[in-house]
Amino acid sequence: MHVTRLIAIRHGETTWNVDGRLQGHLDVPLNDIGLWQAQQAAKALADESIAAIYSSDLQRAYVTAQAVAQVSGAPLTADAGLRERSFGEFQGQTFKQIEVSHPEVAHLWRTRDPHFAMGGSGESLLALRERIAQTVNRIASQHEGEQIVLVAHGGVLDILYRLATRQELQAPRSWELGNAAINRLLWTPEGLTLVGWADTAHLNQGSRDEIHS
C-alpha cells in the first residue's frame, strides 16, 4: 500500500512563545525549557523505526529535530517548505500590540479570514495550506511504507490537523498545538488521516530540574 506514517512535532518552547510574540519566519532560538522538551521528545521516540527526519530550516525547529536525529540515528534534512506562516511586518509583535495599533488587522486574524495576508508581505491561510500540502506530499511520497518525522511550527501543525480531518480554515480550533507534543498521521496519495494527536506524556516524565543541572 502507498502509505507513509508521519510523526509531526512542533518545536520546543521559545521565549517568544511565552511572551505571545509572533515569530513567523524570524529565527528565534529555543529557551532552556524548549531544549529540555526536545530531549524528552527524542527519548520518547528512541524505540521507533524512523527512516528520515525533515525539519523547518528555522533553528527552533531544526534544533528540536537534531535532538531526535541524535537519538534515532535517522538522517535529518532541513526543508524551508515546513516553515511557519509568514506574518510580514507584524513579526516580532504581540497580538495585544497589534490590537492597539491595527485593530482591523487583529479582526481579520481573529476571524481567520483565509484570504488575508498579514503584514502585506505575509502569507494568507490559503497560501499556507497550499504550501504545507505540497511540501508534505512531496516528502511523504518519497517514503511509502516507512515512518518519518516532521518537525515544524504551530501554524504548520494546525494545517496538518485540518487537512487530516477535512476541516475548513475558518473552523474554530478545538485541538492542542503544544510545544514538543507528538502527533501521528497517515499519508496516502489521497491525503492525510489522523491517528493520534497531542501526546505529551513524555513531557510529564522526569523533572524539569534537569534543565538547570
Side-chain angles (χ1 to χ4, degrees):
M1 292 180 64
H2 303 292
V3 177
T4 303
R5 290 172 291 149
L6 305 179
I7 298 174
I9 302 173
R10 184 185 178 191
H11 61 78
E13 184 184 276
T14 72
T15 300
W16 283 24
N17 285 147
V18 178
D19 295 342
R21 202 171 295 280
L22 296 183
Q23 298 177 105
H25 286 189
L26 298 182
D27 207 7
V28 183
L30 297 178
N31 61 19
D32 287 345
I33 290 175
L35 292 168
W36 176 83
Q37 290 172 331
Q39 293 296 329
Q40 292 301 106
K43 291 176 185 177
L45 298 176
D47 295 328
E48 299 269 358
S49 175
I50 298 172
I53 303 167
Y54 293 86
S55 170
S56 159
D57 60 340
L58 297 173
Q59 63 172 310
R60 58 189 183 274
Y62 195 78
V63 170
T64 303
Q66 283 181 315
V68 179
Q70 288 168 1
V71 171
S72 69
L76 169 59
T77 301
D79 194 314
L82 293 171
R83 279 190 175 197
E84 179 61 284
R85 178 185 180 187
S86 171
F87 299 110
E89 66 191 56
F90 292 103
Q91 294 178 154
Q93 298 186 38
T94 66
F95 186 68
K96 288 184 178 180
Q97 289 173 327
I98 297 168
E99 279 188 311
V100 172
S101 63
H102 294 80
E104 71 289 351
V105 169
H107 173 74
L108 289 168
W109 186 25
R110 191 186 306 110
T111 56
R112 298 186 60 84
D113 184 316
H115 300 280
F116 174 59
M118 194 169 185
S121 62
E123 281 180 290
S124 69
L125 286 172
L126 285 168
L128 176 66
R129 183 175 65 184
E130 182 65 19
R131 169 165 65 85
I132 299 309
Q134 288 185 359
T135 300
V136 172
N137 287 339
R138 170 172 52 81
I139 292 173
S141 63
Q142 301 173 40
H143 294 281
E144 293 181 2
E146 297 177 322
Q147 178 169 255
I148 62 173
V149 173
L150 305 178
V151 184
H153 307 266
V156 176
L157 272 290
D158 180 68
I159 293 295
L160 291 178
Y161 189 98
R162 291 174 189 275
L163 290 171
T165 57
R166 313 300 187 263
Q167 296 201 43
E168 295 297 326
L169 290 170
Q170 288 182 282
R173 183 187 301 154
S174 59
W175 51 93
E176 298 294 326
L177 297 171
N179 292 106
I182 292 173
N183 311 283
R184 297 177 187 269
L185 309 101
L186 294 179
W187 174 92
T188 70
E190 287 71 44
L192 292 170
T193 304
L194 191 66
V195 176
W197 198 260
D199 180 0
T200 57
H202 55 289
L203 301 179
N204 298 321
Q205 298 172 358
S207 170
R208 290 197 180 191
D209 291 341
E210 300 171 16
I211 298 170
H212 302 291
S213 63

